[in-house]
Amino acid sequence: MRERILEISALFDATATDLSRFAARGGKIIWLHGNDDASVSPLENRRNYEAIVARMGREATDRFLRYFAVPGLAH
């Protein structure tokens, strides 16, 4: 299991905007961000998501990634 986690982790950089390699290998992301998270700004994660969409296009992004801002959810 550890080897698989390391293999998958190598495919994904949390600050990357080109996730095409991850998506091409069948990767899927459900990205939740709590609007009450005091440690990470929900605006920053929203900007990161929008940067991915800008780079990859909405249609391509929608095939593998969903982003949800969750009211009341903390870290």
Side-chain angles (χ1 to χ4, degrees):
M1 179 63 123
R2 183 178 189 283
E3 292 79 22
R4 182 67 176 141
I5 291 170
L6 291 173
E7 178 186 358
I8 292 169
S9 296
L11 296 175
F12 185 76
D13 170 2
T15 62
T17 56
D18 181 359
L19 302 179
S20 56
R21 280 185 55 211
F22 178 82
R25 293 196 57 177
K28 304 287 184 194
I29 299 171
I30 298 174
W31 186 354
L32 299 176
H33 188 93
N35 284 342
D36 288 351
D37 189 339
S39 62
V40 179
S41 167
L43 298 175
E44 187 61 32
N45 268 337
R46 183 66 187 189
R47 280 192 290 267
N48 290 343
Y49 168 73
E50 291 298 334
I52 293 167
V53 171
R55 174 141 186 179
M56 298 185 67
R58 175 79 53 198
E59 188 176 323
T61 302
D62 284 350
R63 284 195 289 272
F64 77 96
L65 189 152
R66 294 289 190 271
Y67 175 81
F68 301 97
V70 183
L73 180 66
H75 193 80

